[in-house]
Amino acid sequence: VLRQQINELTKMHSAVLQREPIFIDDVDSFLKEKQIVKIFLMARDDKEKDFISRSFKEKFGDILALGWTINPNTMPWQLGLVTAKGISKRRGVEDISKHLNVPLDNILGIGDTMHDWEFIEICGYGAAMGNASEKLKELVLQKGKRGYVAKSVNENGVIGVLKYFGLI
């Protein structure tokens, strides 16, 4: 976060990161020392989200990808996730499956936003946190016994998922 841009969103940013963000004086100096892997953009409503999406696609669509998600700590703000084109959670699951020689049918995907469905969909097993969107919960439950809706993250929902699938 640029020091001159610290504002009410900085607290939300900290909640998403689960730590204080890095504060910098200028972007150019930072980029000479560090490599950026992911950037969060924030939109206060759908109108702003659409404007950001259109502008982003026009300027960076050939080299970067923008996907949207929500976080309970930032509601009603929406988070735009910027990554290099071709980088995604789905791609990560596919690469891990290939690298470890574990079939996708044997992989469990857990998430809490519709953005997570892109990788949960290809996993043999799927789970949604209790605080996930209703649409994600519905999609996960379409996996039958291989789908589960747990309690929220703050209620140790991941432990419930692992117990349900007999992993602990």
Side-chain angles (χ1 to χ4, degrees):
V1 174
L2 286 168
R3 283 189 212 289
Q4 67 265 30
Q5 292 182 347
I6 295 173
N7 59 33
E8 75 278 358
L9 296 179
T10 306
K11 185 175 181 180
M12 287 187 216
H13 190 194
S14 299
V16 171
L17 295 173
Q18 297 181 351
R19 64 174 173 75
E20 284 292 312
I22 296 169
F23 297 104
I24 61 174
D25 294 312
D26 76 278
V27 176
D28 291 335
S29 297
F30 181 78
L31 291 176
K32 288 178 184 173
E33 299 173 20
K34 307 284 185 184
Q35 180 181 11
I36 294 177
V37 177
K38 179 170 40 174
I39 297 172
F40 283 112
L41 304 176
M42 295 182 79
R44 69 186 104 229
D45 55 36
D46 285 337
K47 184 178 177 183
E48 192 170 271
K49 176 184 155 186
D50 292 342
F51 172 77
I52 291 170
S53 295
R54 282 191 313 276
S55 301
F56 182 89
K57 187 174 183 177
E58 288 172 15
K59 293 181 181 184
F60 305 109
D62 292 341
I63 57 170
L64 297 173
L66 172 62
W68 290 93
T69 189
I70 57 169
N71 184 295
N73 295 309
T74 65
M75 296 296 288
W77 290 77
Q78 298 178 60
L79 301 173
L81 307 173
V82 179
T83 60
K85 200 161 188 100
I87 302 298
S88 67
K89 292 177 181 182
R90 182 183 187 111
R91 172 78 183 272
V93 168
E94 291 169 338
D95 288 352
I96 288 169
S97 170
K98 185 176 178 180
H99 179 74
L100 297 176
N101 198 28
V102 175
L104 288 169
D105 201 47
N106 292 340
I107 293 177
L108 166 63
I110 304 172
D112 60 0
T113 71
M114 277 306 299
H115 186 71
D116 294 327
W117 180 246
E118 75 168 307
F119 77 92
I120 295 171
E121 178 182 27
I122 64 169
C123 295
Y125 299 85
M129 296 290 92
N131 56 305
S133 69
E134 291 305 313
K135 181 66 176 169
L136 179 63
K137 291 176 188 177
E138 290 172 20
L139 290 168
V140 162
L141 291 176
Q142 288 179 8
K143 289 183 173 280
K145 291 182 181 179
R146 289 175 162 234
Y148 179 70
V149 175
K151 292 181 179 180
S152 73
V153 171
N154 294 340
E155 298 172 290
N156 297 316
V158 174
I159 292 173
V161 170
L162 298 176
K163 285 181 179 178
Y164 176 82
F165 288 112
L167 300 171
I168 58 171

